[in-house]
Amino acid sequence: MGLGRFIAVRALLMIPTILILLTFVFFVMRIIPGDPILAMVGMKAPPQRIEELRHMAGLDKPPYIQYIEYLWNVLHGDLGRSMIWGRRPVINEIMDRFPATLELTISAFTVSVLIGLLTGSIAALRKGSKTDTAMRIYGLIAWTLFIPWFGMMLQIVFGVWLHWLPIAGRIDPDLAPPRITGLYVLDSILTGRWDSLVSAIRYLILPSITLGVVLSGAYTRLVRNNLVEVFGQDYMTTYRAIGLPPRSLLRKALRNAFIPLITMMGLQFAILLAGAVLTETTFSWPGMGTFLLERIIYVDYTTVQGTIVFFALFVALINFIVDIIYAIIDPRVRY
Amino acid sequence: MRIIDYILRLRTGLGYPGKGFIVAGLALLVPLLLMALLAPLISPYDPTKGSRDILQPPGLAHFFGTNNLGQDLFSRILWGGRVVLTVVLVSTILSAAIGVPLGLLSGYLGGRIDRALAMTMDSIYAFPGLILAIALASVLGPSIINAAAAIAVVYIPTYFRMTRGPTLQLKASQYVEAAIATGAPTKRIIFKHILPNLAPTLTVVFTLNTADSILTEAGLSFLGFVVTPPTPDWGFDLKAGQPFLPAGYWWLITFPGIFIILLSLGFGLLGEGLNELLSPKEKAI
């Protein structure tokens, strides 16, 4: 199968996945017992207000019409309108907040892969030793580190006691660079605002380390196991026999050990997004996570549903991209 | 063989692999479970009752200090453990009770329904668990039972996948084929020949999944979807302590978080050890 055909088949396979996810979100937000609006407002709200909210959310129509309208709109990129403050389209509101989450996740992802490569390589090189066990335990502990707790510990040490780094927000309020991509680090570089760049990076450090360390545990184990497997291959024995120095041995092994890692990244990405919600809340990071929680409090039902749909589509897209990268790197996948 | 058998066999000291992990896991879990169980007996104060001793640092009168309402944090942690364990236990039982039978039937019967079900479960599985739980909890409203239901939905696909995969393999194995050939009824094949062989895998899945759902519960609680004040819960107490962090009141956040981690780590270590004990293949790597 050629690459083009592989991409086409994989794209077709996305259709049922997306339909399932959309239907699932619809059910989650509506058909479950109880009234979602009532649960969100609480029992004390006047009946009139509840009726009004139900009408705004389109919940007073028959379920099957709601479902068809919802599918139709989502497939046209329309996530509805927010129920508060000037009723902006939900997709615009999401796009205001999405770059912050993207910046955080990219940065945290980089941290987690780097730590994972380092700890995993150390463990594989000293296979069966105490260091190996120590790295294994590190992987477990990193995975159980509760994100808000770990974040707050970093805040109290590096923010409150040492005064090295800020503990909340995304950038100094007067230093925000002009918006091009919405990623502050990138925008500062593009516009040559070096003071903004320094500020953006300072704010990015603690949240990225928090999320990155917690996610690194999975990579530690994966890198280690892959490397150990690669080291046992015949071609590695050959390399060793012709007298390659350990450093270039590791480099060659890492290249092959990295391929199976890519398939993990898709699944790991979902965990990254979930972790981002907690990280954002801990660091008052103005991204999708804080946005979602804010709107749950304001009973902005359409926006809450739209945000969940957006997360679902985003995860499906990432999995699609990961599969294609994998197919490009490892041609065997295509058959 | 049941889980208790594996643990008991360790006592003969034959140096089973993973022994260290199981012992370490139990060393964490047993005291934590006892603390939650005995909370009414050993808790020095009423966890919900405030006092005038506000924001006291840890000391002899209050082991973990007091919060801004003068509540004793040690007592709150003891009682909070009961909430965490209740939510996790209820949700795990719920998701296993739905996911395992579905996975068994789907994998054994096969066909179109199996494929549709597998695809549905895979799609949900790929969705970020905590965000799904938040969506469910937000429309259900905050309560212990609702949180347990929300977390249960998140983990049904895990049990489904972990049951369906091995079921497919077992169904193709010779002894199951032989059983089918002798005309054994489907019910008998599932209960006598397949389910017992899934027990080791499911034990590990159950343990590791509990470790995971503890973190999800703590996350939901931290975001305010599990309990309402003054009920103690570790994740919620962590959130309640956050506003006092810039002023340096470290004990308000340190202790609830440590207990979340210890409980999750205990199940993680136990699952890790059990996994090594039950699947010799892992050891070769």
Side-chain angles (χ1 to χ4, degrees), chain A residues 104 147-148 152 155 167-169 207 274-294 297, chain B residues 130 134 219 222-224 239 242:
Chain A
L104 172 64
I147 291 174
M152 285 186 208
Q155 285 177 334
I167 61 172
V277 173
L278 289 175
T279 314
E280 287 178 6
T281 322
T282 311
F283 287 90
S284 311
W285 190 265
M288 298 278 293
T290 41
F291 176 69
L292 176 66
L293 294 161
E294 223 173 82
I297 292 169
Chain B
L130 182 68
I134 291 173
F222 179 76
L223 300 173
K239 182 71 181 177
Q242 194 179 20

PDB file of all heavy atoms in Angstrom, chain A residues 104 147-148 152 155 167-169 207 274-294 297, chain B residues 130 134 219 222-224 239 242:
ATOM      1  N   LEU A 104       1.493  24.904  26.529  1.00  0.00           N
ATOM      2  CA  LEU A 104       1.809  24.126  27.732  1.00  0.00           C
ATOM      3  C   LEU A 104       2.053  22.657  27.390  1.00  0.00           C
ATOM      4  O   LEU A 104       3.022  22.051  27.855  1.00  0.00           O
ATOM      5  CB  LEU A 104       0.669  24.259  28.750  1.00  0.00           C
ATOM      6  CG  LEU A 104       0.757  23.371  29.982  1.00  0.00           C
ATOM      7  CD1 LEU A 104       1.969  23.731  30.822  1.00  0.00           C
ATOM      8  CD2 LEU A 104      -0.508  23.500  30.824  1.00  0.00           C
ATOM      9  N   ILE A 147      -0.775  15.686  40.168  1.00  0.00           N
ATOM     10  CA  ILE A 147      -0.315  16.906  39.517  1.00  0.00           C
ATOM     11  C   ILE A 147      -0.492  18.173  40.370  1.00  0.00           C
ATOM     12  O   ILE A 147       0.465  18.915  40.567  1.00  0.00           O
ATOM     13  CB  ILE A 147      -0.977  17.059  38.121  1.00  0.00           C
ATOM     14  CG1 ILE A 147      -0.413  15.987  37.188  1.00  0.00           C
ATOM     15  CG2 ILE A 147      -0.753  18.438  37.540  1.00  0.00           C
ATOM     16  CD1 ILE A 147      -1.077  15.923  35.839  1.00  0.00           C
ATOM     17  N   PRO A 148      -1.698  18.446  40.921  1.00  0.00           N
ATOM     18  CA  PRO A 148      -1.817  19.674  41.707  1.00  0.00           C
ATOM     19  C   PRO A 148      -0.861  19.710  42.905  1.00  0.00           C
ATOM     20  O   PRO A 148      -0.280  20.752  43.206  1.00  0.00           O
ATOM     21  CB  PRO A 148      -3.270  19.655  42.182  1.00  0.00           C
ATOM     22  CG  PRO A 148      -3.975  18.825  41.193  1.00  0.00           C
ATOM     23  CD  PRO A 148      -2.993  17.769  40.779  1.00  0.00           C
ATOM     24  N   MET A 152       2.064  22.414  43.347  1.00  0.00           N
ATOM     25  CA  MET A 152       2.076  23.308  44.499  1.00  0.00           C
ATOM     26  C   MET A 152       3.377  23.211  45.273  1.00  0.00           C
ATOM     27  O   MET A 152       3.853  24.195  45.833  1.00  0.00           O
ATOM     28  CB  MET A 152       0.902  22.982  45.415  1.00  0.00           C
ATOM     29  CG  MET A 152      -0.427  23.463  44.866  1.00  0.00           C
ATOM     30  SD  MET A 152      -1.693  23.191  46.103  1.00  0.00           S
ATOM     31  CE  MET A 152      -3.109  23.004  45.068  1.00  0.00           C
ATOM     32  N   GLN A 155       5.668  25.283  43.444  1.00  0.00           N
ATOM     33  CA  GLN A 155       5.302  26.684  43.668  1.00  0.00           C
ATOM     34  C   GLN A 155       5.851  27.174  44.996  1.00  0.00           C
ATOM     35  O   GLN A 155       6.407  28.262  45.100  1.00  0.00           O
ATOM     36  CB  GLN A 155       3.776  26.840  43.683  1.00  0.00           C
ATOM     37  CG  GLN A 155       3.152  26.769  42.308  1.00  0.00           C
ATOM     38  CD  GLN A 155       1.639  26.848  42.392  1.00  0.00           C
ATOM     39  OE1 GLN A 155       1.030  26.488  43.395  1.00  0.00           O
ATOM     40  NE2 GLN A 155       1.005  27.317  41.333  1.00  0.00           N
ATOM     41  N   ILE A 167       4.271  31.947  40.156  1.00  0.00           N
ATOM     42  CA  ILE A 167       3.485  30.747  40.424  1.00  0.00           C
ATOM     43  C   ILE A 167       2.122  30.749  39.740  1.00  0.00           C
ATOM     44  O   ILE A 167       1.432  29.748  39.760  1.00  0.00           O
ATOM     45  CB  ILE A 167       3.308  30.493  41.931  1.00  0.00           C
ATOM     46  CG1 ILE A 167       2.578  31.646  42.597  1.00  0.00           C
ATOM     47  CG2 ILE A 167       4.642  30.235  42.588  1.00  0.00           C
ATOM     48  CD1 ILE A 167       2.208  31.347  44.037  1.00  0.00           C
ATOM     49  N   ALA A 168       1.699  31.851  39.164  1.00  0.00           N
ATOM     50  CA  ALA A 168       0.378  31.851  38.534  1.00  0.00           C
ATOM     51  C   ALA A 168       0.375  32.765  37.318  1.00  0.00           C
ATOM     52  O   ALA A 168       1.039  33.805  37.304  1.00  0.00           O
ATOM     53  CB  ALA A 168      -0.676  32.320  39.528  1.00  0.00           C
ATOM     54  N   GLY A 169      -0.369  32.352  36.291  1.00  0.00           N
ATOM     55  CA  GLY A 169      -0.496  33.163  35.093  1.00  0.00           C
ATOM     56  C   GLY A 169       0.390  32.645  33.973  1.00  0.00           C
ATOM     57  O   GLY A 169       1.037  31.605  34.103  1.00  0.00           O
ATOM     58  N   PRO A 207       4.910  25.025  35.303  1.00  0.00           N
ATOM     59  CA  PRO A 207       3.841  24.138  34.804  1.00  0.00           C
ATOM     60  C   PRO A 207       4.378  23.026  33.903  1.00  0.00           C
ATOM     61  O   PRO A 207       3.931  21.877  33.998  1.00  0.00           O
ATOM     62  CB  PRO A 207       2.930  25.073  34.004  1.00  0.00           C
ATOM     63  CG  PRO A 207       3.251  26.430  34.452  1.00  0.00           C
ATOM     64  CD  PRO A 207       4.641  26.428  34.987  1.00  0.00           C
ATOM     65  N   ALA A 274      -5.525  15.535  29.722  1.00  0.00           N
ATOM     66  CA  ALA A 274      -6.183  15.442  31.024  1.00  0.00           C
ATOM     67  C   ALA A 274      -5.305  16.065  32.095  1.00  0.00           C
ATOM     68  O   ALA A 274      -5.789  16.809  32.959  1.00  0.00           O
ATOM     69  CB  ALA A 274      -6.480  13.982  31.361  1.00  0.00           C
ATOM     70  N   GLY A 275      -3.995  15.790  32.011  1.00  0.00           N
ATOM     71  CA  GLY A 275      -3.068  16.369  32.971  1.00  0.00           C
ATOM     72  C   GLY A 275      -3.010  17.884  32.846  1.00  0.00           C
ATOM     73  O   GLY A 275      -2.858  18.593  33.834  1.00  0.00           O
ATOM     74  N   ALA A 276      -3.169  18.376  31.614  1.00  0.00           N
ATOM     75  CA  ALA A 276      -3.115  19.819  31.398  1.00  0.00           C
ATOM     76  C   ALA A 276      -4.246  20.519  32.144  1.00  0.00           C
ATOM     77  O   ALA A 276      -4.069  21.622  32.658  1.00  0.00           O
ATOM     78  CB  ALA A 276      -3.182  20.132  29.912  1.00  0.00           C
ATOM     79  N   VAL A 277      -5.422  19.865  32.226  1.00  0.00           N
ATOM     80  CA  VAL A 277      -6.547  20.482  32.937  1.00  0.00           C
ATOM     81  C   VAL A 277      -6.166  20.740  34.400  1.00  0.00           C
ATOM     82  O   VAL A 277      -6.391  21.832  34.934  1.00  0.00           O
ATOM     83  CB  VAL A 277      -7.795  19.569  32.873  1.00  0.00           C
ATOM     84  CG1 VAL A 277      -8.904  20.118  33.739  1.00  0.00           C
ATOM     85  CG2 VAL A 277      -8.275  19.425  31.441  1.00  0.00           C
ATOM     86  N   LEU A 278      -5.539  19.742  35.020  1.00  0.00           N
ATOM     87  CA  LEU A 278      -5.144  19.902  36.425  1.00  0.00           C
ATOM     88  C   LEU A 278      -3.996  20.906  36.563  1.00  0.00           C
ATOM     89  O   LEU A 278      -3.977  21.716  37.489  1.00  0.00           O
ATOM     90  CB  LEU A 278      -4.730  18.550  37.011  1.00  0.00           C
ATOM     91  CG  LEU A 278      -5.877  17.562  37.239  1.00  0.00           C
ATOM     92  CD1 LEU A 278      -5.349  16.225  37.696  1.00  0.00           C
ATOM     93  CD2 LEU A 278      -6.851  18.116  38.272  1.00  0.00           C
ATOM     94  N   THR A 279      -3.039  20.839  35.620  1.00  0.00           N
ATOM     95  CA  THR A 279      -1.910  21.775  35.684  1.00  0.00           C
ATOM     96  C   THR A 279      -2.393  23.208  35.532  1.00  0.00           C
ATOM     97  O   THR A 279      -1.967  24.099  36.263  1.00  0.00           O
ATOM     98  CB  THR A 279      -0.895  21.450  34.568  1.00  0.00           C
ATOM     99  OG1 THR A 279      -0.676  20.045  34.538  1.00  0.00           O
ATOM    100  CG2 THR A 279       0.423  22.145  34.799  1.00  0.00           C
ATOM    101  N   GLU A 280      -3.300  23.418  34.587  1.00  0.00           N
ATOM    102  CA  GLU A 280      -3.818  24.769  34.365  1.00  0.00           C
ATOM    103  C   GLU A 280      -4.524  25.293  35.604  1.00  0.00           C
ATOM    104  O   GLU A 280      -4.365  26.450  35.984  1.00  0.00           O
ATOM    105  CB  GLU A 280      -4.775  24.775  33.167  1.00  0.00           C
ATOM    106  CG  GLU A 280      -4.053  24.643  31.843  1.00  0.00           C
ATOM    107  CD  GLU A 280      -5.014  24.590  30.667  1.00  0.00           C
ATOM    108  OE1 GLU A 280      -6.226  24.764  30.886  1.00  0.00           O
ATOM    109  OE2 GLU A 280      -4.543  24.359  29.546  1.00  0.00           O
ATOM    110  N   THR A 281      -5.325  24.436  36.234  1.00  0.00           N
ATOM    111  CA  THR A 281      -6.036  24.878  37.434  1.00  0.00           C
ATOM    112  C   THR A 281      -5.045  25.239  38.540  1.00  0.00           C
ATOM    113  O   THR A 281      -5.235  26.208  39.253  1.00  0.00           O
ATOM    114  CB  THR A 281      -6.954  23.761  37.955  1.00  0.00           C
ATOM    115  OG1 THR A 281      -7.511  23.100  36.850  1.00  0.00           O
ATOM    116  CG2 THR A 281      -8.051  24.303  38.811  1.00  0.00           C
ATOM    117  N   THR A 282      -3.983  24.436  38.652  1.00  0.00           N
ATOM    118  CA  THR A 282      -3.008  24.685  39.715  1.00  0.00           C
ATOM    119  C   THR A 282      -2.263  25.992  39.493  1.00  0.00           C
ATOM    120  O   THR A 282      -1.970  26.722  40.430  1.00  0.00           O
ATOM    121  CB  THR A 282      -1.997  23.527  39.775  1.00  0.00           C
ATOM    122  OG1 THR A 282      -2.713  22.307  39.793  1.00  0.00           O
ATOM    123  CG2 THR A 282      -1.120  23.616  40.999  1.00  0.00           C
ATOM    124  N   PHE A 283      -1.944  26.297  38.230  1.00  0.00           N
ATOM    125  CA  PHE A 283      -1.121  27.465  37.936  1.00  0.00           C
ATOM    126  C   PHE A 283      -1.930  28.640  37.367  1.00  0.00           C
ATOM    127  O   PHE A 283      -1.333  29.556  36.820  1.00  0.00           O
ATOM    128  CB  PHE A 283      -0.007  27.079  36.955  1.00  0.00           C
ATOM    129  CG  PHE A 283       1.074  26.238  37.575  1.00  0.00           C
ATOM    130  CD1 PHE A 283       0.985  24.868  37.574  1.00  0.00           C
ATOM    131  CD2 PHE A 283       2.168  26.837  38.187  1.00  0.00           C
ATOM    132  CE1 PHE A 283       1.977  24.085  38.155  1.00  0.00           C
ATOM    133  CE2 PHE A 283       3.164  26.072  38.766  1.00  0.00           C
ATOM    134  CZ  PHE A 283       3.068  24.693  38.755  1.00  0.00           C
ATOM    135  N   SER A 284      -3.253  28.616  37.489  1.00  0.00           N
ATOM    136  CA  SER A 284      -4.122  29.647  36.905  1.00  0.00           C
ATOM    137  C   SER A 284      -3.712  29.931  35.465  1.00  0.00           C
ATOM    138  O   SER A 284      -3.619  31.086  35.045  1.00  0.00           O
ATOM    139  CB  SER A 284      -4.067  30.950  37.702  1.00  0.00           C
ATOM    140  OG  SER A 284      -4.236  30.703  39.051  1.00  0.00           O
ATOM    141  N   TRP A 285      -3.420  28.891  34.724  1.00  0.00           N
ATOM    142  CA  TRP A 285      -2.993  29.010  33.323  1.00  0.00           C
ATOM    143  C   TRP A 285      -4.242  29.189  32.460  1.00  0.00           C
ATOM    144  O   TRP A 285      -5.143  28.349  32.516  1.00  0.00           O
ATOM    145  CB  TRP A 285      -2.257  27.730  32.947  1.00  0.00           C
ATOM    146  CG  TRP A 285      -1.557  27.754  31.635  1.00  0.00           C
ATOM    147  CD1 TRP A 285      -2.040  27.297  30.456  1.00  0.00           C
ATOM    148  CD2 TRP A 285      -0.242  28.238  31.386  1.00  0.00           C
ATOM    149  NE1 TRP A 285      -1.100  27.464  29.484  1.00  0.00           N
ATOM    150  CE2 TRP A 285       0.012  28.044  30.021  1.00  0.00           C
ATOM    151  CE3 TRP A 285       0.753  28.829  32.171  1.00  0.00           C
ATOM    152  CZ2 TRP A 285       1.208  28.409  29.423  1.00  0.00           C
ATOM    153  CZ3 TRP A 285       1.945  29.194  31.580  1.00  0.00           C
ATOM    154  CH2 TRP A 285       2.169  28.991  30.223  1.00  0.00           C
ATOM    155  N   PRO A 286      -4.325  30.276  31.683  1.00  0.00           N
ATOM    156  CA  PRO A 286      -5.597  30.569  30.999  1.00  0.00           C
ATOM    157  C   PRO A 286      -5.828  29.712  29.752  1.00  0.00           C
ATOM    158  O   PRO A 286      -5.975  30.226  28.650  1.00  0.00           O
ATOM    159  CB  PRO A 286      -5.451  32.040  30.625  1.00  0.00           C
ATOM    160  CG  PRO A 286      -3.979  32.234  30.486  1.00  0.00           C
ATOM    161  CD  PRO A 286      -3.310  31.298  31.439  1.00  0.00           C
ATOM    162  N   GLY A 287      -5.864  28.394  29.898  1.00  0.00           N
ATOM    163  CA  GLY A 287      -6.055  27.508  28.755  1.00  0.00           C
ATOM    164  C   GLY A 287      -7.433  26.877  28.726  1.00  0.00           C
ATOM    165  O   GLY A 287      -8.372  27.345  29.376  1.00  0.00           O
ATOM    166  N   MET A 288      -7.539  25.771  27.979  1.00  0.00           N
ATOM    167  CA  MET A 288      -8.822  25.092  27.791  1.00  0.00           C
ATOM    168  C   MET A 288      -9.374  24.496  29.087  1.00  0.00           C
ATOM    169  O   MET A 288     -10.570  24.429  29.290  1.00  0.00           O
ATOM    170  CB  MET A 288      -8.649  23.962  26.782  1.00  0.00           C
ATOM    171  CG  MET A 288      -8.223  24.413  25.427  1.00  0.00           C
ATOM    172  SD  MET A 288      -9.625  24.969  24.495  1.00  0.00           S
ATOM    173  CE  MET A 288     -10.483  23.429  24.322  1.00  0.00           C
ATOM    174  N   GLY A 289      -8.487  24.013  29.932  1.00  0.00           N
ATOM    175  CA  GLY A 289      -8.920  23.375  31.170  1.00  0.00           C
ATOM    176  C   GLY A 289      -9.600  24.361  32.100  1.00  0.00           C
ATOM    177  O   GLY A 289     -10.720  24.124  32.565  1.00  0.00           O
ATOM    178  N   THR A 290      -8.940  25.483  32.340  1.00  0.00           N
ATOM    179  CA  THR A 290      -9.545  26.488  33.213  1.00  0.00           C
ATOM    180  C   THR A 290     -10.815  27.038  32.562  1.00  0.00           C
ATOM    181  O   THR A 290     -11.793  27.327  33.251  1.00  0.00           O
ATOM    182  CB  THR A 290      -8.563  27.642  33.492  1.00  0.00           C
ATOM    183  OG1 THR A 290      -7.885  27.964  32.298  1.00  0.00           O
ATOM    184  CG2 THR A 290      -7.547  27.258  34.539  1.00  0.00           C
ATOM    185  N   PHE A 291     -10.785  27.140  31.251  1.00  0.00           N
ATOM    186  CA  PHE A 291     -11.955  27.614  30.499  1.00  0.00           C
ATOM    187  C   PHE A 291     -13.154  26.689  30.729  1.00  0.00           C
ATOM    188  O   PHE A 291     -14.256  27.138  31.071  1.00  0.00           O
ATOM    189  CB  PHE A 291     -11.580  27.659  29.011  1.00  0.00           C
ATOM    190  CG  PHE A 291     -12.691  28.026  28.084  1.00  0.00           C
ATOM    191  CD1 PHE A 291     -13.211  29.297  28.085  1.00  0.00           C
ATOM    192  CD2 PHE A 291     -13.191  27.090  27.187  1.00  0.00           C
ATOM    193  CE1 PHE A 291     -14.227  29.640  27.208  1.00  0.00           C
ATOM    194  CE2 PHE A 291     -14.202  27.426  26.311  1.00  0.00           C
ATOM    195  CZ  PHE A 291     -14.725  28.705  26.321  1.00  0.00           C
ATOM    196  N   LEU A 292     -12.921  25.392  30.565  1.00  0.00           N
ATOM    197  CA  LEU A 292     -14.002  24.418  30.744  1.00  0.00           C
ATOM    198  C   LEU A 292     -14.603  24.528  32.144  1.00  0.00           C
ATOM    199  O   LEU A 292     -15.835  24.581  32.304  1.00  0.00           O
ATOM    200  CB  LEU A 292     -13.451  23.008  30.500  1.00  0.00           C
ATOM    201  CG  LEU A 292     -14.403  21.839  30.735  1.00  0.00           C
ATOM    202  CD1 LEU A 292     -15.535  21.864  29.739  1.00  0.00           C
ATOM    203  CD2 LEU A 292     -13.665  20.506  30.635  1.00  0.00           C
ATOM    204  N   LEU A 293     -13.748  24.592  33.149  1.00  0.00           N
ATOM    205  CA  LEU A 293     -14.238  24.621  34.533  1.00  0.00           C
ATOM    206  C   LEU A 293     -14.981  25.915  34.837  1.00  0.00           C
ATOM    207  O   LEU A 293     -16.009  25.917  35.502  1.00  0.00           O
ATOM    208  CB  LEU A 293     -13.080  24.425  35.500  1.00  0.00           C
ATOM    209  CG  LEU A 293     -12.494  23.026  35.357  1.00  0.00           C
ATOM    210  CD1 LEU A 293     -11.106  22.950  35.945  1.00  0.00           C
ATOM    211  CD2 LEU A 293     -13.410  22.012  36.027  1.00  0.00           C
ATOM    212  N   GLU A 294     -14.439  27.020  34.287  1.00  0.00           N
ATOM    213  CA  GLU A 294     -15.094  28.315  34.426  1.00  0.00           C
ATOM    214  C   GLU A 294     -16.525  28.250  33.892  1.00  0.00           C
ATOM    215  O   GLU A 294     -17.472  28.679  34.535  1.00  0.00           O
ATOM    216  CB  GLU A 294     -14.316  29.263  33.521  1.00  0.00           C
ATOM    217  CG  GLU A 294     -13.983  30.619  34.028  1.00  0.00           C
ATOM    218  CD  GLU A 294     -13.072  31.259  32.990  1.00  0.00           C
ATOM    219  OE1 GLU A 294     -13.576  31.805  31.977  1.00  0.00           O
ATOM    220  OE2 GLU A 294     -11.845  31.161  33.178  1.00  0.00           O
ATOM    221  N   ILE A 297     -19.064  26.363  35.889  1.00  0.00           N
ATOM    222  CA  ILE A 297     -19.577  27.154  37.011  1.00  0.00           C
ATOM    223  C   ILE A 297     -20.639  28.144  36.527  1.00  0.00           C
ATOM    224  O   ILE A 297     -21.638  28.373  37.190  1.00  0.00           O
ATOM    225  CB  ILE A 297     -18.417  27.878  37.718  1.00  0.00           C
ATOM    226  CG1 ILE A 297     -17.536  26.845  38.421  1.00  0.00           C
ATOM    227  CG2 ILE A 297     -18.934  28.904  38.722  1.00  0.00           C
ATOM    228  CD1 ILE A 297     -16.235  27.372  38.931  1.00  0.00           C
TER     229      ILE A 297
ATOM    230  N   LEU B 130      -9.955  11.971  32.535  1.00  0.00           N
ATOM    231  CA  LEU B 130     -10.382  12.968  33.518  1.00  0.00           C
ATOM    232  C   LEU B 130     -11.379  13.949  32.916  1.00  0.00           C
ATOM    233  O   LEU B 130     -12.351  14.347  33.566  1.00  0.00           O
ATOM    234  CB  LEU B 130      -9.161  13.720  34.066  1.00  0.00           C
ATOM    235  CG  LEU B 130      -9.488  14.762  35.131  1.00  0.00           C
ATOM    236  CD1 LEU B 130      -9.988  14.102  36.406  1.00  0.00           C
ATOM    237  CD2 LEU B 130      -8.283  15.633  35.445  1.00  0.00           C
ATOM    238  N   ILE B 134     -15.035  14.754  34.165  1.00  0.00           N
ATOM    239  CA  ILE B 134     -15.493  16.111  34.479  1.00  0.00           C
ATOM    240  C   ILE B 134     -16.827  16.376  33.791  1.00  0.00           C
ATOM    241  O   ILE B 134     -17.767  16.898  34.400  1.00  0.00           O
ATOM    242  CB  ILE B 134     -14.449  17.158  34.021  1.00  0.00           C
ATOM    243  CG1 ILE B 134     -13.198  17.071  34.890  1.00  0.00           C
ATOM    244  CG2 ILE B 134     -15.028  18.565  34.082  1.00  0.00           C
ATOM    245  CD1 ILE B 134     -12.057  17.942  34.405  1.00  0.00           C
ATOM    246  N   GLY B 219      -8.388  14.072  41.372  1.00  0.00           N
ATOM    247  CA  GLY B 219      -8.513  15.160  40.410  1.00  0.00           C
ATOM    248  C   GLY B 219      -9.915  15.746  40.413  1.00  0.00           C
ATOM    249  O   GLY B 219     -10.099  16.959  40.495  1.00  0.00           O
ATOM    250  N   PHE B 222     -10.438  17.586  43.608  1.00  0.00           N
ATOM    251  CA  PHE B 222      -9.686  18.837  43.568  1.00  0.00           C
ATOM    252  C   PHE B 222     -10.472  19.902  42.796  1.00  0.00           C
ATOM    253  O   PHE B 222     -10.475  21.069  43.147  1.00  0.00           O
ATOM    254  CB  PHE B 222      -8.331  18.587  42.910  1.00  0.00           C
ATOM    255  CG  PHE B 222      -7.456  19.802  42.776  1.00  0.00           C
ATOM    256  CD1 PHE B 222      -6.794  20.323  43.866  1.00  0.00           C
ATOM    257  CD2 PHE B 222      -7.307  20.424  41.540  1.00  0.00           C
ATOM    258  CE1 PHE B 222      -5.997  21.451  43.747  1.00  0.00           C
ATOM    259  CE2 PHE B 222      -6.512  21.545  41.412  1.00  0.00           C
ATOM    260  CZ  PHE B 222      -5.848  22.064  42.513  1.00  0.00           C
ATOM    261  N   LEU B 223     -11.163  19.478  41.757  1.00  0.00           N
ATOM    262  CA  LEU B 223     -11.925  20.423  40.942  1.00  0.00           C
ATOM    263  C   LEU B 223     -13.315  20.671  41.516  1.00  0.00           C
ATOM    264  O   LEU B 223     -14.103  21.417  40.946  1.00  0.00           O
ATOM    265  CB  LEU B 223     -12.031  19.900  39.497  1.00  0.00           C
ATOM    266  CG  LEU B 223     -10.679  19.708  38.806  1.00  0.00           C
ATOM    267  CD1 LEU B 223     -10.856  19.024  37.466  1.00  0.00           C
ATOM    268  CD2 LEU B 223      -9.985  21.042  38.619  1.00  0.00           C
ATOM    269  N   GLY B 224     -13.642  20.020  42.620  1.00  0.00           N
ATOM    270  CA  GLY B 224     -14.898  20.310  43.311  1.00  0.00           C
ATOM    271  C   GLY B 224     -16.081  19.469  42.880  1.00  0.00           C
ATOM    272  O   GLY B 224     -17.229  19.882  43.074  1.00  0.00           O
ATOM    273  N   LYS B 239      -7.262  21.516  47.470  1.00  0.00           N
ATOM    274  CA  LYS B 239      -7.774  22.720  46.818  1.00  0.00           C
ATOM    275  C   LYS B 239      -8.044  23.815  47.848  1.00  0.00           C
ATOM    276  O   LYS B 239      -7.731  24.984  47.638  1.00  0.00           O
ATOM    277  CB  LYS B 239      -9.068  22.374  46.076  1.00  0.00           C
ATOM    278  CG  LYS B 239      -9.673  23.523  45.313  1.00  0.00           C
ATOM    279  CD  LYS B 239      -8.832  23.845  44.123  1.00  0.00           C
ATOM    280  CE  LYS B 239      -9.377  24.999  43.322  1.00  0.00           C
ATOM    281  NZ  LYS B 239      -8.470  25.308  42.216  1.00  0.00           N
ATOM    282  N   GLN B 242      -4.986  25.696  48.821  1.00  0.00           N
ATOM    283  CA  GLN B 242      -4.237  26.432  47.790  1.00  0.00           C
ATOM    284  C   GLN B 242      -4.180  27.957  48.008  1.00  0.00           C
ATOM    285  O   GLN B 242      -3.122  28.549  47.849  1.00  0.00           O
ATOM    286  CB  GLN B 242      -4.784  26.113  46.403  1.00  0.00           C
ATOM    287  CG  GLN B 242      -3.853  26.563  45.304  1.00  0.00           C
ATOM    288  CD  GLN B 242      -4.375  26.239  43.918  1.00  0.00           C
ATOM    289  OE1 GLN B 242      -5.566  26.009  43.718  1.00  0.00           O
ATOM    290  NE2 GLN B 242      -3.483  26.201  42.947  1.00  0.00           N
TER     291      GLN B 242
END
